[in-house]
């Protein structure tokens, strides 16, 4: 056994440790935030006389150069640099010599990484917010075309009441509105600057944390340095916000998958957003929607990972916290591409109005309207009304028609108190339009909801 | 095999189904919210002429009676009633006859359960917020006594720099402040009334959702009924808020456990909040802190459960959503008792100032201060300063003392440029007090942080 | 604020602590295992001369009495007894006096709880295994009736190839077979006795752990006492086994829900296992299946909870481990009732053979058979065969028929090389029966699979 | 807003879809398994006359070439190939022309990916098993040196009883033994071949699944093709096995971190497996142990992800299942590097015997031995013995010594019945050696445990 094994240990201890410890393979994503943070820091140090003007100028110049090098692909990331902070510091020192090392005065890697990561999370929370707004606009455009398109409202995947397709889309618009609000709320709450907290206790240098906070676009500096270098709440928040976003995306995806089945055929994905089969030209696999549904598992995993990592950690920084980034990067990038592809899928979706409306004729969706009529207009007690309705539904089944298609004479055979004024109430469209309460499915009320969202979008 | 098995199926199909389907064993917790919601509904129905004044009066009277019956323990919960809504409706109908059934006009169980559950979550978010504020006050009182108590600031569970105990407590105060803010933000965001959304599509009745929203203390009615009866975001939010709270509680608990060990002895739990051993009088098991730490697992489980349940559910209500409550109840009750017991534990905690201060003398916590001195006052380059410091530390080790206790002559043997003005800088207390940057550990700055929190608490 | 709060602290510190610390509200479920373990322990102590014969006799008698008291409901569980172990010990001491205290010689609460909990998990793993076997028998009975019932095999919820319903059920039988095997494997692996490990280090008493292991039905005593009192792997295993079981149950439930929709109508739940609506007699909500699907979230939450609790705990026993039981109890009881109700639902399920077979005629399920024919019998290259098939499918669409219903003349218009021998291949039933490879869908091969399972069941 | 957004959509729909859908960026890890599977398939096809001997030879030759190309780094992975299966098939067709396409006869991507992934999981389960065995050997070597090294056995992080360090290590050896057994059990259970199951229904071709199963080293073919292409139990099992492994690794890591603190100083990591500080030479951060502890979160996340993805998926293949691989790859690679680095860390760990033994003198670890003496030799009732012991402990505290160091005269002052024979019992080493029960901490019994493990390792 040991021989079999010995082959595995070819790398040296330090190579192995580098591979295990180094975060540069993933934290290089933070290069932009790291350079932004360093420029703010150098600016403040110079303003406060901790760094000479000329040193600060050289340092900022070098940081700008490094940024260009990274973005042009020239920059070489080395595992031995361990993390992005060291990689950039090494490089500016290579460019401008020992002056470069002065940049690290009055800060430590602990507050630096907290600043970079927080800037990343704030920026991504904002860009995801904007993607959500764009998705809502696309949904709104589609909704405006379908305020009169009947679709069976379902509970338990069983037909329940007639609604309209715009109304259905507005449910998702409402969910995504909350996702937007959650992201914005997190941005506001976490708009505090860690820079200057140093290792865990602050610094004896005469720094100005309000100034770096301002330069970095934060509302104010954090309150307590020990907390600041130990805190990853902002990372947990974006992970949760994305998990909740995917609850909604996965529900939408599930509906799109079911609606794409042969049995439903309510919608058809464009060729660009589904995959076909060369041999069965009519077959379209809703791969995109299935992946969107599945991504929910992935982002939930990332959330539970960080919650588990942070549980029970003593203050302040522990190396465990290096496990904070990969999950956040993965959830963010999953959300970015998923919102993009969901938006595009909706933009190019074919809505099969005929199939939707035809489906409303299955399941006697206006049975409750008949019962309501009996109570309201014939003054029949509730229980009896239910019984009569049951008989009417049974009769419709015998006739192999939907209750919305039954003739007056049939109804009157069941109960002679029923009159001609019942018929309009049994129509699917009338039924849908009768639900005029706030938030209801009537076309007019649906249009109110659209207006509400439009006003809200304009107000942003 | 089948014989062995057959014994299991003694209960009838309907008993089995009742046991599986019924939510009344747990949703009876919602009785208060259910009655509050019903009273608001009846009031509005009467105002809008859907219910006669006298019917409304009778119904409201009966609801009040039922509430008293439940609170006095007279009320009998029956599994056959299935859920709390039916149980209360049955009872008021038993009291006032068929009039009771009119209460259900223009609503459905779907919006009713959404209303009850949301009211519960809003109320509990508020009471948990208040418990957090009280905990913060207790922590603040303790902090005020210890702004000069030295304690080793640690990273990686290794001594790093001298800080003070108040400063350490302020880290937790800061965490709990964010927990408070998250709960308040959720309350504000979810302050929308589901009542009147009915099954999924609104209602044809001329109801006034703004009125019931106002009566129930919500900001406004929800936008879209289909979304409303399908939405459990508010439940996910409280679960996440509690999970994050327990990240902080578990970290505090871990520190308290470590600090209670024989090796540390920084704190001592009062007898009331630890368990002892009759035979080892000095032994105190920090059971409470251990349970507080462990509860993190429980609340994370509840969060992941609901995220999993909601994933991929088609609109609108599906029976799956009945699985939403038990986890929320459990997390809420876990948070309630945990905050209570954590608060009491802190109130009665003995802080061992001597042990904390003595611990600061291990690990040469002022080594960085020496290096800083060499750079700043002796104009020695950084690398050389590090090397000299290394030698001084090694010498202190040889002498079996801490660097803060070294004599000037020893230092001068290592480097003659060192002068007497170094000594105050090597003192632990001076080192702690030197970190005067905003958020830093200097006693004066620590007091600023206390002031900041006090102002904030007063402003609420 | 503090006034508002003060109302909350009505209970005394000790009441609060009892409520927080005590496990008796849930661990009373272990009474049977606790008594069984104690009887084995007393028996061994007497055999080894540590307890006198008469003391042992008295103790065992008292334990038997307590068991009867508990099962008859006479026994009063008091929160002040803290846990089931103390409750039982107190009671036997009340019955037989100080002799009762001798039972605790050479054991501690740590090994006692490990023994009780392990016995519980072993017993429940066995009874769940038996429930799974019974479910498989019920599925097998249903399968035997449907080896020739066509049903569209799907991928991506899109029709793909004709299969038979027995074949589909065999997929679930195979899954449940693995669930059975996992439970049995865990039983075997964890069949080691913790009894006699005492607090964490063993005991100086001359005990015989092999004997108690034998009396309790374990294979052998555990190897190392420190590990034994710290180990909850067996609990994690049953949680995982149940989570995996619910992956399968939730998939089956999802299919049953979709199959119950108006659009599919493949199956109909019996009235006893669905809920209806008095007003829409044809409506049946598949509540049971929805709850079965949702329970997946619950059991996953329990798994993640315990994984989180156990992470990073130093040896040996920590109070955190008291959080091990509730989740296991909940997952076990969820699995018990779910298997019971799933089994009953299947036993009473109506299979709509017509709808299943009719659905096969949608989607040109034999398109691949036509392509295969062209390659195999007409020697046409693969790509060309695909192209021709595409044309045939398009023609069928024009004619508004399924490819399985096309006439020879239509095919020959597309390609004259096609001859009459193609027609049988395009028949749905022939297509299903053509897949004769091991594990395939041909009726004959399906019957082989049934036989395989029957043999396996008999071999147990 | 829309303008801001428009910049994001630079890539074409198909590029976006490729990026979202393609699995080749991660499933290229399966190249070896894919080629192995294809060679077995081609071999069987030729044996059964479905492929000519010469075609099979060419195909196998080409597959071997492709493998070499991949391993030498020549092979270019293109996103447009979508997955590793297509990438390899395209390449062999490029090498040998249309003959290459015949390889795909009688199989589909669904059974191919199931085969590749299962082979990967089986192989990795075996190599992880071997890493675990090697780790156990290293632990066993260390244990053999420390069967007489005293260390305080703890509960609640409080000193409880004296044990020895070998005994403590044997607890971890026992845990890792169960991890090994779980992996082996999974390998055995999942040793069934998916190859030949085709899309979901088997194939009409006259294939021999037993033969490919044998060629690939599986026990037998799977039972039912529909289940086979839908099944990811084997992936869930390895994820769970790794999560449980990390429960143990994280516990060990936690202890190593605590033991490395200044307060404990039981162990010291070698420089190669810790990180230091140039300025504080005595400081060693246990980074490696912290990362090992944290990885628990990561692997738990992967487990919950796949459980969530698989929940409620209808049969058979859905694109959701493409999300199965990344988490498994990540958990496997995390386990590989973690086991490697843990093993190396242990091999190079310095054990501070003095500190461990000295620590035993804190906490009066032999108090229970005194109580036992009073009961056993002085015939004093249990309660009174406890009381006397309490007084003795209090006296030792006054004298500022440990109970193990107390003089006989002091004890006799407390109770004159105590005689000289008590002293050896109060010695820490004697106390440890007194626990001779099976699995106990006595050195002799510890050696038995070592022997047991050695025999077990030899038996493999």
């Amino acid at each position: 056994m040991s021989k079999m094994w010995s082959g595995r240990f070819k790398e040296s201890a330090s190579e192995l440790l580098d591979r295990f410890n180094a975060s540069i393979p993933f934290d290089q994503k933070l290069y932009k935030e790291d350079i932004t943070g360093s420029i703010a820091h150098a600016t403040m140090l110079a303003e406060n006389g901790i760094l000479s003007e000329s040193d600060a100028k050289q340092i900022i110049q070098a940081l700008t150069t490094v940024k260009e090098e990274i973005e042009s692909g020239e920059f070489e990331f080395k595992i031995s640099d361990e993390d992005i902070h060291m990689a950039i510091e090494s490089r500016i020192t290579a460019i401008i010599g020992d002056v470069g090392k002065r940049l690290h005065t009055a800060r430590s890697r602990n507050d630096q990484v907290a600043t970079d990561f927080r800037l990343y999370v704030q920026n991504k929370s904002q860009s995801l917010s904007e993607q959500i707004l764009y998705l809502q606009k696309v949904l709104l455009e589609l909704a405006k075309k379908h305020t009169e398109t009947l679709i069976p409202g379902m509970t338990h995947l069983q037909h329940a009441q007639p609604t309209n397709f715009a109304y259905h889309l507005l449910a998702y618009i409402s969910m995504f509105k909350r996702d937007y609000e959650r992201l914005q709320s997190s941005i506001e709450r976490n708009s505090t600057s860690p820079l200057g907290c140093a290792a865990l206790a602050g610094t004896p240098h005469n720094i100005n944390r309000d100034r770096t906070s301002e330069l970095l676009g934060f509302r104010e500096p954090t309150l307590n340095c020990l907390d600041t270098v130990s805190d990853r709440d902002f990372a947990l928040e974006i992970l949760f916000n994305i998990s909740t976003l995917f609850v909604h995306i996965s529900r939408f995806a599930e509906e799109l998958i079911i609606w794409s089945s042969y049995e439903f055929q309510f919608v058809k994905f464009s060729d660009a957003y589904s995959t076909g089969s060369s041999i069965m030209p009519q077959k379209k696999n809703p791969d995109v929607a299935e992946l969107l549904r599945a991504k929910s598992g992935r982002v939930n995993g990332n959330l539970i990972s960080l919650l588990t990592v942070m549980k029970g950690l003593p203050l302040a920084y522990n190396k465990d916290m290096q496990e904070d980034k990969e999950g956040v990067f993965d959830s963010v990038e999953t959300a970015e591409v998923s919102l993009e592809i969901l938006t595009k899928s909706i933009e190019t979706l074919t809505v099969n109005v005929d199939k939707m409306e035809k489906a409303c004729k299955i399941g006697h969706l206006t049975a409750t309207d008949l019962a309501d009529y009996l109570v309201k207009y014939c003054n029949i007690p509730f229980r009896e009304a239910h019984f009569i309705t049951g008989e009417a539904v049974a009769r419709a089944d015998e006739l192999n028609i939907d209750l919305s298609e039954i003739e007056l004479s049939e109804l009157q055979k069941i109960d002679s108190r029923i009159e001609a004024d019942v018929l309009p109430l049994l129509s699917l469209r009338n039924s849908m339009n009768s639900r005029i309460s706030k938030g209801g499915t009537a076309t007019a009320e649906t249009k109110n909801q659209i207006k509400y969202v439009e006003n809200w979008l304009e107000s942003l």
Side-chain angles (χ1 to χ4, degrees), chain A:
Chain A
M1 180 68 52
S2 71
K3 223 166 135 201
M4 185 183 329
W5 171 258
S6 62
R8 294 193 56 90
F9 275 170
K10 275 181 200 141
E11 66 190 336
S12 72
S14 68
E15 280 168 345
L16 175 62
L17 191 70
D18 274 354
R19 185 155 63 86
F20 191 63
N21 261 5
S23 55
I24 198 161
F26 51 87
D27 71 11
Q28 55 182 260
K29 275 186 212 289
L30 297 177
Y31 79 92
K32 216 183 299 185
E33 288 79 6
D34 194 72
I35 289 169
T36 302
S38 288
I39 289 174
H41 188 61
T43 303
M44 180 278 289
L45 288 179
E47 287 172 4
N48 279 33
I50 301 167
L51 214 60
S52 73
E53 280 300 327
S54 84
D55 283 0
K57 209 171 154 188
Q58 275 190 73
I59 287 171
I60 291 170
Q61 184 59 50
L63 286 164
T64 310
T65 303
V66 171
K67 195 178 169 196
E68 286 161 9
E69 288 176 356
I70 293 174
E71 291 179 349
S72 69
E74 282 173 61
F75 194 92
E76 192 199 347
F77 293 102
K78 281 168 290 184
I79 195 102
S80 58
D81 272 335
E82 202 177 321
D83 60 28
I84 184 66
H85 325 295
M86 194 53 74
I88 290 172
E89 193 179 320
S90 301
R91 181 70 192 122
I92 64 167
T93 306
I95 297 174
I96 57 172
D98 275 3
V99 169
K101 290 181 181 163
R102 297 203 183 143
L103 170 59
H104 210 54
T105 312
R107 76 172 183 190
S108 119
R109 224 186 301 187
N110 292 351
D111 62 330
Q112 192 179 355
V113 69
T115 303
D116 293 3
F117 193 28
R118 190 180 288 244
L119 280 172
Y120 172 89
V121 167
Q122 295 286 91
N123 291 341
K124 288 300 187 181
S125 294
Q126 185 55 35
S127 63
L128 287 173
S129 295
E130 287 161 18
Q131 282 193 274
I132 288 171
L133 290 181
Y134 187 72
L135 169 60
Q136 283 179 306
K137 287 188 177 177
V138 168
L139 288 169
L140 216 50
E141 285 315 302
L142 187 60
K144 281 166 152 179
K145 292 180 198 147
H146 291 287
T147 55
E148 314 214 16
T149 303
L150 292 172
I151 184 172
M154 300 208 182
T155 55
H156 311 272
L157 206 64
Q158 299 283 321
H159 294 193
Q161 289 179 327
T163 70
N164 70 69
F165 187 51
Y167 177 76
H168 200 108
L169 292 172
L170 277 157
Y172 287 106
I173 291 172
S174 301
M175 295 179 213
F176 293 129
K177 181 165 175 286
R178 286 193 299 277
D179 290 318
Y180 174 87
E181 289 165 348
R182 264 184 292 272
L183 283 164
Q184 291 295 309
S185 158
S186 291
I187 290 173
E188 176 56 22
R189 182 162 43 256
N190 296 310
S191 183
T192 51
S193 171
L195 200 56
C197 278
L200 64 100
T203 166
H205 292 280
N206 173 34
I207 61 170
N208 184 345
R209 290 187 60 212
D210 291 281
R211 179 63 175 135
T212 46
S213 172
E214 182 196 12
L215 286 168
L216 294 172
F218 289 111
R219 190 182 63 238
E220 59 182 335
T222 56
L223 179 63
N224 172 281
C225 296
L226 183 62
D227 169 52
T228 302
V229 297
S230 314
D231 168 33
R232 291 299 182 269
D233 286 12
F234 61 96
L236 291 171
E237 286 194 29
I238 196 171
L239 288 172
F240 171 71
N241 290 339
I242 290 173
S243 278
T244 310
L245 170 65
F246 270 93
V247 167
H248 304 149
I249 289 178
S250 70
R251 298 182 78 170
F252 203 179
E254 171 85 0
E255 295 211 309
L256 290 168
I257 292 164
I258 291 174
W259 291 347
S260 300
S261 70
Y262 290 130
E263 281 74 10
F264 280 78
Q265 298 186 43
F266 286 4
V267 298
K268 207 172 195 168
F269 283 103
S270 89
D271 290 348
Y273 297 99
S274 58
T275 60
S277 159
S278 58
I279 204 165
M280 290 184 275
Q282 83 295 356
K283 195 178 181 194
K284 280 200 190 175
N285 295 331
D287 294 47
V288 160
E290 289 172 293
L291 278 173
L292 287 172
R293 178 174 64 184
K295 297 290 184 192
S296 199
R298 183 184 198 105
V299 299
N300 287 354
N302 290 331
L303 171 59
I304 210 67
S305 287
L306 190 55
L307 281 168
T308 309
V309 166
M310 295 305 294
K311 179 213 160 195
L313 281 191
L315 306 186
Y317 186 80
N318 299 278
K319 188 76 169 182
D320 309 61
M321 289 167 69
Q322 183 172 300
E323 286 284 306
D324 58 356
K325 285 174 213 71
E326 285 163 284
V328 170
F329 293 163
D330 186 65
S331 282
V332 165
E333 289 165 17
T334 298
E336 284 178 338
V337 68
S338 297
L339 283 168
E340 195 167 328
I341 210 156
L342 174 59
T343 304
K344 284 284 186 191
S345 300
I346 299 299
E347 282 182 326
T348 56
L349 191 74
T350 302
V351 177
N352 196 335
V353 173
D354 277 0
K355 290 280 181 183
M356 284 182 181
E357 302 213 330
K358 220 171 138 188
C360 290
K361 293 193 186 159
I362 308 172
H364 311 295
L365 300 191
T366 52
T368 48
D369 299 275
L370 174 56
D372 282 348
Y373 168 85
L374 294 168
V375 171
K376 227 166 156 180
Y377 297 97
C378 310
N379 206 21
I380 295 174
F382 195 59
R383 276 187 203 284
E384 196 186 338
H386 269 218
F387 183 80
I388 296 166
T389 306
E391 285 189 294
V393 161
R395 181 70 189 131
D397 276 341
E398 275 169 40
L399 296 168
N400 209 17
I401 56 172
D402 187 65
L403 186 62
S404 62
E405 299 164 324
I406 206 163
E407 289 188 19
L408 181 60
S409 57
E410 292 290 345
L411 291 171
Q412 289 175 331
K413 271 186 236 166
I414 292 164
D415 195 291
S416 59
R417 288 170 289 188
I418 299 174
E419 299 195 27
D421 56 354
V422 75
L423 290 185
L425 301 177
L426 298 188
S427 124
L428 292 162
R429 191 165 303 279
N430 286 353
S431 169
M432 179 267 282
N433 274 321
S434 74
R435 290 174 225 286
I436 46 139
S437 59
K438 206 167 205 179
T441 192
T443 294
E445 172 51 27
T446 301
K447 284 180 179 166
N448 287 340
Q449 295 167 36
I450 289 174
K451 195 72 212 150
Y452 182 103
V453 176
E454 285 184 329
N455 290 341
W456 173 73
L457 283 171
E458 264 164 43
S459 76
L460 295 178

